[in-house]
Amino acid sequence: MTNPTDTGARTGPAPAPAPVGKGLRGGSVGLLASVTLGLSSVAPAYSIAVTLGFVTLAVGDLAPAALLLGFVPILLTAFAFRELNREMPDCGTNFVWTTRAFGPVAGWFTGGWVVIVATLIAMTALSQVGAVYLLNLLGLHSLAGNDAAVTATALLLLAACTLVSVRGLHLAASVQYVLLGLQMAALVGFGVAAFARDGAATPSLEWLDPSAFDGFGPFAEAVLLCLFIYWGWDSLLAANEETRDGERVAGQAAVLSTLLLLGTYLFTAFAAISFAGTGTAGLGLGNPDNAADVLTTLAPPVLGGPLAKVMELAVCVSAVSALLTCLVGNSRGTLSMASHGALPRAFARVHPRHRTPAFGTLACGAAAAGTLILLRLVSADILGDAVLCVGLLIACYYGTTALSCVWYFRRSLRDSPRDLLLRGLLPLLGGLLMLAAFARSAYDMYDPAYGSTSFHGVGGVFLLGAGSLAAGALALLIARTRFRRFFREGRTSVAALTVTED
């Protein structure tokens, strides 16, 4: 098969052949379900609740500006994802695209390992957050402060989400409609009530002024925090082979979901700042005591007693909803890797009735459970720092995927102004911004004061992030000895569906 990057300068890369069916149920979801999966995977209620306070601590009432600027590289990357999905609609997404552009080593490491590890670490946090909120909602406050009880509840949530994911994408999407609807209703209700409260300040466009930041340090810190709250929308693309007209609809859903996230976050941030201000005392968003969970802190005075519980419920279901989508995305990623000969064949097994990657889903759930237990046994602080290091991994694979778009389409960028803009300039800028965020994250994380742990003067968050990448390098060496055909044949290995291992 001809290498797609060897085509003529005017014709552009040859489209990847339509993948032979992997056994998934095609046409299971449409545009609405795809957008719902994308939004759910970000956990909007949880993400804004635990991030807005820290952004405000960094830049005060310029938090909306940070949210807006943090969105820019995400949107630019979303264009890259959309264009690549149109050309190569495969549930392996980053793995397939990076392999076609840069070869099997980059594809396996960045599009496979980094994505899988980032998702597993995020799942440990989501299951724990969901467990704490669930126990509090049930009135079991003493158990919510007990590590063993929280871990046991988190494992039960993982098991429940795994079973739903195994049953099929249609069921998962149906559950997500309810969970996402509750989140969005709670956030909109909170915002409307906050604006309506006596004493609420009138929102100002100056809160969106990017030139008002006091130095690069606070600006960079705030934008990096904002990258985390947008992460996850790309999970919907893992369902592209199960989406009606997936090469077109999944890409549209990716861009649409990011725009909806931006609107939701800006509305909530404006409402919270208008009501509480950015002071360092009381309910002020500049009060460090409020930073860990802004919405739950502000919900009682904004919504009143009984309705305040709705916000807690929204954050709880937000975490569970994202947990469910993580399982959907990760299992389909490993399915694609196994189908293309880059993982053991077991991961390519599809349930005969539900037509889902059952083995991969169960393996993902079990791996997340094992990671949670391991980190819990080491230290609660280690678990928190592991979550913080996810930002490093996000910037790594988002940036690489964006640059994959530019490199894959490089010979056809002059075919039209559209191709030059959407397949070249915008993804290039997005990729460079993401890699700059990666470098800045690594620099900040090296500081022993970053996070809760350190070792011989090096920040524990940096060690966990760098350690994840180093472990990936070791895993890559092992994979190259086991999956020789995939690494030997290079880009053509993902152009033709292969399940044979060497």
Side-chain angles (χ1 to χ4, degrees):
M1 183 173 294
T2 303
N3 186 325
T5 60
D6 292 335
T7 56
R10 298 298 298 172
T11 60
V20 179
K22 299 183 181 71
L24 299 171
R25 191 184 302 278
S28 297
V29 295
L31 178 62
L32 178 60
S34 293
V35 172
T36 300
L37 289 170
L39 292 174
S40 299
S41 63
V42 180
Y46 161 68
S47 295
I48 193 68
V50 302
T51 306
L52 180 58
F54 292 107
V55 174
T56 306
L57 286 176
V59 295
D61 57 13
L62 291 174
L67 288 168
L68 186 60
L69 290 175
F71 173 74
V72 171
I74 293 294
L75 179 62
L76 298 177
T77 304
F79 282 121
F81 275 66
R82 185 185 68 176
E83 294 303 311
L84 288 166
N85 182 71
R86 281 181 173 179
E87 189 79 4
M88 297 170 277
D90 190 291
C91 64
T93 61
N94 305 279
F95 160 72
V96 169
W97 304 334
T98 307
T99 301
R100 291 295 301 275
F102 297 134
V105 172
W108 195 96
F109 181 78
T110 307
W113 175 269
V114 173
V115 177
I116 291 171
V117 170
T119 306
L120 287 177
I121 294 174
M123 287 174 66
T124 64
L126 292 168
S127 61
Q128 181 176 260
V129 168
V132 171
Y133 275 89
L134 179 60
L135 292 172
N136 279 323
L137 284 168
L138 296 176
L140 304 174
H141 303 294
S142 59
L143 292 180
N146 183 285
D147 287 348
V150 169
T151 301
T153 307
L155 292 174
L156 289 175
L157 288 176
L158 271 170
C161 289
T162 301
L163 291 177
V164 171
S165 184
V166 167
R167 290 294 300 275
L169 189 61
H170 182 74
L171 175 61
S174 299
V175 172
Q176 294 289 25
Y177 286 139
V178 178
L179 299 182
L180 181 64
L182 177 59
Q183 290 181 68
M184 303 307 281
L187 290 175
V188 171
F190 169 84
V192 171
F195 282 127
R197 286 293 179 184
D198 292 336
T202 302
S204 171
L205 288 178
E206 293 181 356
W207 299 349
L208 289 171
D209 184 5
S211 65
F213 286 104
D214 184 20
F216 180 75
F219 160 75
E221 180 183 354
V223 171
L224 286 172
L225 283 168
C226 292
L227 285 179
F228 176 78
I229 70 174
Y230 291 112
W231 173 58
W233 53 267
D234 53 304
S235 294
L236 69 89
L237 291 170
N240 52 18
E241 294 186 38
E242 297 157 273
T243 303
R244 290 187 289 275
D245 195 9
E247 67 276 6
R248 181 180 61 86
V249 170
Q252 291 177 342
V255 175
L256 183 57
S257 64
T258 60
L259 292 172
L260 289 173
L261 281 173
L262 175 65
T264 302
Y265 287 157
L266 286 178
F267 176 74
T268 306
F270 269 104
I273 294 173
S274 295
F275 173 78
T278 58
T280 58
L283 294 175
L285 299 187
N287 184 345
D289 294 335
N290 302 335
D293 192 345
V294 167
L295 296 186
T296 302
T297 300
L298 297 182
V302 170
L303 298 173
L307 288 179
K309 284 291 183 181
V310 175
M311 185 56 70
E312 289 189 44
L313 177 61
V315 176
C316 177
V317 301
S318 180
V320 174
S321 177
L323 185 62
L324 177 59
T325 313
C326 284
L327 283 159
V328 170
N330 231 15
S331 60
R332 280 148 182 82
T334 55
L335 166 66
S336 178
M337 292 181 72
S339 298
H340 295 303
L343 279 182
R345 269 186 252 180
F347 286 95
R349 293 176 188 163
V350 173
H351 194 283
R353 181 158 61 93
H354 303 309
R355 294 175 66 180
T356 59
F359 179 86
T361 304
L362 293 172
C364 181
T371 303
L372 173 62
I373 293 172
L374 176 62
L375 292 175
R376 265 295 184 187
L377 289 175
V378 174
S379 168
D381 291 338
I382 287 289
L383 178 58
D385 282 358
V387 174
L388 289 175
C389 84
V390 169
L392 197 67
L393 305 179
I394 296 170
C396 176
Y397 85 82
Y398 270 5
T400 304
T401 303
L403 295 180
S404 296
C405 179
V406 181
W407 188 252
Y408 181 80
F409 292 114
R410 70 191 186 280
R411 299 185 186 277
S412 62
L413 294 181
R414 291 179 293 177
D415 287 356
S416 70
R418 179 199 179 279
D419 286 349
L420 179 62
L421 181 65
L422 297 181
R423 295 182 168 186
L425 296 179
L426 296 184
L428 176 62
L429 180 57
L432 293 177
L433 288 173
M434 285 293 179
L435 294 182
F438 176 85
R440 178 71 194 200
S441 296
Y443 175 80
D444 290 341
M445 291 173 182
Y446 191 85
D447 187 343
Y450 194 103
S452 303
T453 61
S454 63
F455 184 76
H456 288 295
V458 180
V461 180
F462 175 85
L463 291 174
L464 287 167
S468 298
L469 297 176
L474 178 60
L476 175 63
L477 293 176
I478 297 173
R480 294 192 70 170
T481 65
R482 183 168 184 186
F483 309 110
R484 290 187 294 272
R485 181 173 181 178
F486 168 75
F487 287 98
R488 183 175 63 244
E489 294 185 355
R491 295 173 176 86
T492 57
S493 295
V494 296
L497 193 63
T498 305
V499 295
T500 304
E501 295 178 47
D502 283 345

